[in-house]
Amino acid sequence: MSLRSDHAPFPRLPLAAVVALAAIFLLSGLMRDPWKNEDAIHLGIAHAMAVDATWPFPHVAGEPWPHTAPLYHWVAAALGQILEGWLAFHEAARLATALFGALFLFALARAAAAFDGPPSARVAPLLALGTLGLLLPLHETQPAVAGLACAALAWWGGATFLGENEPAGFARWRNALLLGIGSGSAFLAHGLVGLLMVVAVLPAPTFRRDWPAFALALTIAGALAALWPLALTAQAHDLWQAWWHNEWAELWRSRRPPEAVHAELVAWGYWPILPLALWTLWLERRRLAPFSLPLLGAVLGLLWFVSGGTRLAALLPAMIPLLLIAAAGTERLRRGAANAWDWFALMGFTFFGALIWLGASAQALGWPPKVAANFAKIAPGHVADYAPLALAWAAGLTLAWLWSWRLPRAPWRASLHWAAGVVLLWTLTTTLWFDWLDHHRSHRAVIASLRAALPTDAGCIERLGVGAPQRALLDYHAGIRTRPPGGTPPCAWRLVIDRPERATAPGWQVAWEGSRPGDRHERWFLERRAD
């Protein structure tokens, strides 16, 4: 199926530009301290696997965590061990995100080429780099990215059965193998949500009435998906049951009518691929059969998102089919729409890039004074110290962006500018602002202060208001593990995370308190049981 007209008069989209943008995007922002929420939890799971050998099942600070599948953490823990001595564990482990992100972009490119022809192989990764809902997941310690990469493998294998040229001979079995490996691995990476990402593409061989290829794909997918459950059941059946029951509960417990926040997340999280996908479907409205499986995958993913929670990662199940549909029509935008999109990218990203440089000036030089005061208020005590190499890198990227204004008119120009603009803003932020963000968001200093205040013979420590991210960070930074209140024997110490104005409970005395710089909402209290 080839949906595009001949663009021979236009220069071809340079492959080197796509690869360079992808590499810069994936590697920027990974070398930082763990931040609270999912980044901390999944780093803690990988660290426990590497240090405590909890490989069969995810654990957070010594306690089972039945909320995630293990494939991402296996890779992250292995990288942390292999690169020990070269990088901090959290930096090495987070490289797993870059590896899975690269696999996702490569498999997406191959799927787009099989579905719509070679030009889409370069446009689809650009659209992925520019999709706002992928920005944070592709830079966090996030197992959903592994599910996305494995699902892209499945769509690569399946798209070959949907394309114009029917696979034959060895290609049939290779594609069935990709479809099966991707589908089975998606379950190991992201559980039942991973299967949701691939369920629409699994029947692809049946479009060619290739039942042997379909049977092979199903067999491989089933065998791969069963490996971990069978191994875990043999060792710890109760852990497998807890994980399985939690998977079903999390898949269905949050089903509820859509809210305004769902519409808001869909609007910006799928920008710009959702309007581009709708445009493609409008163009092909009289022959939608080739789009049936990607359209089904997109609808299933969107329905699951809008009827459930509002986490950013919940946008991912619909990403791949939307990207495939959008890539098929991007280079056939009407000239006025393409020029408007291109102009918006050039103006918007240049403006926000200038603001990032202004923020860097405020941090380093104190100018403008009002902006500098706001930075100091959010992260008190931070002193900006830019290395010459970092400044040169940021300046070089900015000059490259300004030079890109001279790119020739071509159908891919707007998509390239949009992707390059997103990469520019992200890279400038990670180069010029991440030290300031780390100072504000890292828990390293407050946990070190807590560790210093805690006697070496403290014994057990109860917790109150300490969530999974804080437990993971306590264990990672200081080896401190807490337990729920009410255990026997009672603990002499208690760690409480609450509002700054919290009153001390009867029977306890505050021995220490602290917080992250500039955090006015979360205060840490170390309390000792009164005699």
Side-chain angles (χ1 to χ4, degrees), residues 10 135 186 307 357 366 404:
F10 297 103
L135 182 60
S307 62
W357 276 106
S404 76

Side-chain angles (χ1 to χ4, degrees), residues 187-205:
F187 176 78
L188 292 177
H190 204 23
L192 293 179
V193 178
L195 292 182
L196 178 66
M197 292 180 174
V198 300
V199 66
V201 75
L202 263 175

Side-chain angles (χ1 to χ4, degrees), residues 3 72 90 99 111 162 182 195 214 259 283 306 351 355 368 379 459 474 477 509:
L3 304 175
Y72 176 92
H90 58 273
L99 286 178
L162 304 176
L195 292 182
F214 180 52
E259 302 172 0
L283 286 176
V306 300
F351 173 75
L355 290 184
L474 282 165
H477 285 306
Q509 296 175 345

Side-chain angles (χ1 to χ4, degrees), residues 258-270 274 305-306 310 315:
E259 302 172 0
V261 67
H262 287 99
E264 181 181 342
L265 275 176
V266 165
W268 73 261
Y270 290 125
L274 184 56
F305 169 71
V306 300
T310 54
L315 292 169

Side-chain angles (χ1 to χ4, degrees), residues 130-144:
T131 300
L132 301 184
L134 287 173
L135 182 60
L136 290 181
L138 285 174
H139 294 96
E140 291 183 323
T141 313
Q142 175 56 264

Side-chain angles (χ1 to χ4, degrees), residues 209-226:
R209 301 185 181 276
D210 195 339
W211 303 106
F214 180 52
L216 176 63
L218 283 180
T219 301
I220 294 172
L224 263 180

Side-chain angles (χ1 to χ4, degrees), residues 280-368:
T280 304
L281 294 175
W282 171 255
L283 286 176
E284 301 299 326
R285 60 191 180 278
R286 291 185 176 85
R287 58 183 197 104
L288 289 176
F291 292 91
S292 55
L293 293 189
L295 184 56
L296 174 62
V299 169
L300 288 176
L302 284 168
L303 287 176
W304 183 79
F305 169 71
V306 300
S307 62
T310 54
R311 294 169 55 246
L312 189 59
L315 292 169
L316 299 186
M319 280 290 181
I320 296 173
L322 282 176
L323 283 164
L324 292 177
I325 298 171
T330 298
E331 294 194 9
R332 295 194 295 158
L333 279 174
R334 291 179 177 174
R335 181 174 299 180
N339 289 340
W341 184 23
D342 189 42
W343 180 87
F344 180 69
L346 291 173
M347 295 297 106
F349 290 120
T350 301
F351 173 75
F352 286 109
L355 290 184
I356 294 173
W357 276 106
L358 189 69
S361 170
Q363 293 179 59
L365 305 176
W367 185 89

Side-chain angles (χ1 to χ4, degrees), residues 30-35 39-40 43-44 46-47 72 76 79-80 87-97 140-141 438 442 444 473 476-477:
L30 297 180
M31 305 302 162
R32 56 173 172 81
D33 262 1
W35 291 350
D39 189 59
L43 172 68
H47 187 250
Y72 176 92
L79 286 172
L87 295 172
F89 181 89
H90 58 273
E91 295 173 341
R94 206 179 282 118
L95 286 175
T97 299
E140 291 183 323
T141 313
D438 245 0
S442 173
R444 184 184 295 272
L473 292 169
Y476 178 69
H477 285 306

